[in-house]
Amino acid sequence: MLTVKGLSFDYGRQSILKDIDLSIDAGEIVGLVAPNGTGKSTLLRNITGLLRPKRGQVTLLGNDSQSQRQVFLKHLFFLEDSQRLYEVLTPVELLSYVKAMWGGELSVDQVLKALRMERYHNKRISTFSLGMRQHVLLGAYLISGADLLLFDEPLNGLDPTSIELFTHIFSRLRDQGKSILMSSHQLGNVTTMAERVIFLKDGQVTSYQTAAIDLQAKYDELFGVPEELF
Ligand SMILES: Nc1ncnc2c1ncn2[C@@H]1O[C@H](COP(=O)(O)OP(=O)(O)OP(=O)(O)O)[C@@H](O)[C@H]1O
């Protein structure tokens, strides 16, 4: 589904991504985990082409992110942050807009119902809490019908019931053959859903099957707090 080859990116003199290779299959949920400021958002932005890689190639279903940009974008959905939704719109308006742009099959009503958003579907997003915004954001992902979903911190601000609902929806999407790359600085936020975890460190990635190793031990080995602080 998604193939990234030799991707590098610098912010000025600071090298953030170094020669990254990764791939994601159809129907696979992958977690991207690293502490704050490591480069997760930068990697997602490079994959989508919001930032232009210094080197490397990204293809989605065989479509190149640069030379076949329109088709490439049609197959993916990425909204960086629920704080950057169109504030003046209501959920109904936003979802209708995304449906019109991406041409997904689900109706606005189906999505509102699946995400239990009927209570506030006609209120302006500007008045919403973080958790409500996350629901609208997931609604936009769902209604897009895109094949690859890139999600930055999907569980931010959610109560336990909503986490359960989101987890359920992600597994439904996987069953439908959608691929999901979700980033988080918290390992626990992705391990319940992802069958594979990619750690980003020093600009490079290592990938582990969730069931194959003790991921927390690996996380501590890679990013743990040093024993001697002072
Ligand atoms: N526009 C920018 N100009 C220069 N440096 C930047 C810019 N945006 C991010 N950086 C730097 O790039 C590095 C990676 O940032 P990025 O936001 O990708 O990290 P992250 O892993 O997503 O962090 P977080 O978990 O806090 O969201 C950081 O050192 C950050 O300071």
Side-chain angles (χ1 to χ4, degrees):
M1 167 85 69
L2 175 76
T3 309
V4 174
K5 277 194 191 141
L7 190 147
S8 299
F9 180 82
D10 304 338
Y11 274 123
R13 287 188 185 170
Q14 192 186 3
S15 172
I16 309 289
L17 308 172
K18 299 175 192 165
D19 199 20
I20 286 182
D21 290 335
L22 65 88
S23 60
I24 299 179
D25 291 335
E28 197 182 20
I29 300 183
V30 178
L32 171 64
V33 178
N36 294 131
T38 311
K40 300 179 298 294
S41 304
T42 306
L43 177 55
L44 295 183
R45 300 183 106 218
N46 270 269
I47 289 174
T48 57
L50 283 171
L51 287 172
R52 203 182 175 103
K54 178 180 156 197
R55 269 192 303 276
Q57 195 189 24
V58 180
T59 54
L60 176 54
L61 292 165
N63 302 294
D64 183 82
S65 65
Q66 302 296 336
S67 62
Q68 293 163 293
R69 185 128 194 87
Q70 226 168 335
V71 203
F72 175 90
L73 287 177
K74 175 100 182 128
H75 288 294
L76 77 81
F77 197 84
F78 177 55
L79 267 175
E80 201 158 16
D81 185 341
S82 64
Q83 302 297 344
R84 296 192 206 179
L85 298 170
Y86 292 120
E87 299 285 310
V88 293
L89 298 185
T90 66
V92 169
E93 290 165 345
L94 181 77
L95 296 182
S96 305
Y97 168 71
V98 174
K99 182 173 167 63
M101 295 295 286
W102 267 262
E105 282 172 15
L106 291 176
S107 70
V108 172
D109 279 348
Q110 280 175 309
V111 172
L112 291 172
K113 209 166 161 203
L115 282 161
R116 300 176 191 156
M117 285 175 11
E118 295 103 326
R119 218 169 19 94
Y120 50 88
H121 69 279
N122 267 328
K123 292 191 176 157
R124 283 192 184 203
I125 291 168
S126 59
T127 64
F128 287 5
S129 70
L130 175 59
M132 291 158 83
R133 285 165 181 269
Q134 290 292 95
H135 282 72
V136 179
L137 186 60
L138 180 57
Y141 277 83
L142 273 182
I143 209 160
S144 76
D147 300 294
L148 174 68
L149 308 172
L150 303 177
F151 226 129
D152 207 354
E153 298 285 359
L155 303 186
N156 254 4
L158 296 182
D159 60 50
T161 313
S162 300
I163 291 177
E164 208 177 308
L165 175 65
F166 272 47
T167 308
H168 181 62
I169 288 175
F170 283 126
S171 59
R172 283 289 299 274
L173 288 168
R174 169 184 31 213
D175 294 347
Q176 290 165 10
K178 308 288 185 198
S179 306
I180 302 173
L181 176 60
M182 56 174 72
S183 77
S184 180
H185 58 274
Q186 273 186 295
L187 182 61
N189 275 355
V190 303
T191 44
T192 44
M193 293 175 273
E195 52 258 52
R196 187 154 64 89
V197 169
I198 292 173
F199 291 117
L200 175 64
K201 188 182 182 189
D202 298 333
Q204 297 188 311
V205 291
T206 42
S207 172
Y208 300 94
Q209 292 297 326
T210 310
I213 65 157
D214 179 346
L215 283 171
Q216 187 59 55
K218 181 49 79 177
Y219 183 92
D220 292 342
E221 181 192 320
L222 290 170
F223 308 113
V225 179
E227 275 175 31
E228 298 232 355
L229 280 177
F230 302 103

